[in-house]
Each structure stands twice: as structure tokens, then as C-alpha cells.
């Protein structure tokens, strides 16, 4: 069975564990370096990327995770997790680092302070014809994508229409929104498919 680790230093870990199990994978918490060896793929939850970055380094996870990602381990990052996977950040903290791998530039808290959170139905071809309810909470958007990055979804209405909010680059997947909180597990199922098909 495919064993997917959920980075468990901070953020909404439990929701991702449940979504992965519902979508048919074995899901385990990753909090210690030796656990990084035991997983086929990684999910990085939403939370606060500046805190997650500090804790990942404090727990000795930064190097092992970077190494496995560099070797091609599949990973999915949601919101703060998207920031953790991005090669470049705008509006990050001065000393903020990322695990990297995704050739994108993300803008933290991109939707502005007034727009703390909002929801929208997104049409994402990779997930089928049914729209997906996307929940955005102090979300980043993708400011720039490299040539090998596929854009999976953009905001469809309002002042941010057209902004990129879901991307894939080979085994790496990231969304600005939180599919783990809606009960619709198609994003997790899609990721599990990416992991199994390679
Ligand atoms: N604003 C947060 C950050 O910069 C992300 C918010 C979230 O994950 N819901 O990390």
C-alpha cells in the first residue's frame, strides 16, 4: 500500500491524514528524521509557513526532506505547504527558507489582509467535470511559473480572477486552497494517483 507521510510539525495535520485514508492510502505523521525514510510521498499541510520553516529546521527535518524531494519523492502542499514547496517567495519573512522543488514564485498572503478567507467553486479539468469547492485562508497565489509547471486552476471570479491557485510539476502538486476541509477528497485521490503512476 502507498504510504504517505503528512509533515506534522504544525498546521492542519489531522484533516490531511483523514483525507488521505478516505482516498485509499496509508497515512502516517512525519515528525522525526527517521520517519522521512519510511514514506513513499509527502503532504505538507496548511498552517503558517514561517513557523513551519523554523520547526522543520529545529526538528532536523530540513535536510532529509530536501534530499528526498531532490531525488524525486512526490509531494503535495496545501496553502502554507505550497509555500514550503516553492523555489521562490514574495512577501516572505527575511530569513524564511523553503524546502523547494517547485519552479514557482508564490506570494504569501496574496489576497490581502481584508480578504482573510473566502470560498469559490473551481473548475479543474484534472479532477473531472464537477466543480471543486475551494477554501482559501490567508492564502498565497502563484505569481510566476517555470516552463515545466502545469497550471491546474485559476481563480475564476472577483478581483483576483485569473490568479494561479493550483499547479503540478511532475510528482509535485500544490494548491493555494484547503481541499482537506471540505470532505471532497478528489485532490488527495489525484495526488495518490500521481504517486502510484509515478
Ligand atoms: N499565510 C500562511 C503562510 O504564510 C498560510 C495560510 C494557510 O496555510 N492557511 O504560511
Amino acid at each position: 500500500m502507498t504510504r504517505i507521510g503528512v509533515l506534522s510539525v504544525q498546521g492542519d495535520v489531522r484533516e490531511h491524514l483523514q483525507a488521505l485514508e478516505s482516498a485509499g492510502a496509508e497515512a502516517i505523521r512525519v515528525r522525526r528524521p527517521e520517519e522521512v525514510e519510511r514514506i513513499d510521498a509527502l503532504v505538507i499541510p496548511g498552517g503558517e509557513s514561517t513557523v513551519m520553516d523554523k520547526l522543520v529546521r529545529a526538528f532536523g527535518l530540513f535536510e532529509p526532506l530536501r534530499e528526498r524531494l531532490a531525488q524525486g519523492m512526490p509531494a503535495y502542499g496545501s496553502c502554507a505547504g505550497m509555500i514550503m514547496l516553492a523555489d521562490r517567495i514574495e512577501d516572505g519573512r527575511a530569513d524564511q527558507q523553503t524546502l523547494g522543488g517547485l519552479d514557482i514564485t508564490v506570494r504569501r498572503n496574496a489576497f490581502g489582509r481584508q480578504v482573510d478567507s473566502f470560498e469559490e467553486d473551481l473548475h479543474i479539468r484534472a479532477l473531472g467535470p464537477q466543480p471543486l469547492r475551494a477554501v482559501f485562508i490567508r492564502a498565497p497565489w502563484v505569481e510566476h511559473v517555470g516552463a515545466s509547471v502545469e497550471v491546474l486552476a485559476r481563480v475564476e471570479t472577483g478581483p483576483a480572477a485569473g490568479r494561479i491557485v493550483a499547479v503540478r510539476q511532475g510528482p509535485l502538486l500544490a494548491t493555494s486552497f484547503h481541499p482537506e476541509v471540505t470532505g471532497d477528497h478528489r485532490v488527495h485521490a489525484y495526488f495518490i494517483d500521481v504517486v502510484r503512476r509515478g
Side-chain angles (χ1 to χ4, degrees), residues 82-192:
M82 171 189 260
I83 297 170
M84 293 295 289
L85 287 177
D87 282 343
R88 297 167 297 276
I89 319 176
E90 300 279 355
D91 295 337
R93 262 189 27 178
D95 64 344
Q96 186 171 358
Q97 293 181 37
T98 68
L99 296 167
L102 255 184
D103 184 12
I104 61 173
T105 305
V106 290
R107 182 172 296 282
R108 273 184 73 227
N109 302 331
F111 293 89
R113 292 203 179 281
Q114 294 85 343
V115 191
D116 218 34
S117 62
F118 66 99
E119 299 186 14
E120 192 186 21
D121 285 334
L122 297 181
H123 296 80
I124 305 178
R125 204 176 310 150
L127 302 182
Q130 281 285 89
L132 182 92
R133 191 74 180 158
V135 178
F136 296 86
I137 305 165
R138 290 184 293 285
W141 68 43
V142 180
E143 193 83 30
H144 176 262
V145 296
S148 55
V149 177
E150 184 187 351
V151 173
L152 298 179
R154 295 176 186 266
V155 175
E156 294 177 21
T157 58
R163 291 295 181 178
I164 299 168
V165 290
V167 293
R168 177 177 172 189
Q169 180 189 332
L172 301 179
L173 179 68
T175 62
S176 302
F177 49 86
H178 290 268
E180 72 281 8
V181 299
T182 60
D184 179 343
H185 300 134
R186 279 179 293 158
V187 172
H188 292 82
Y190 177 77
F191 178 58
I192 292 167

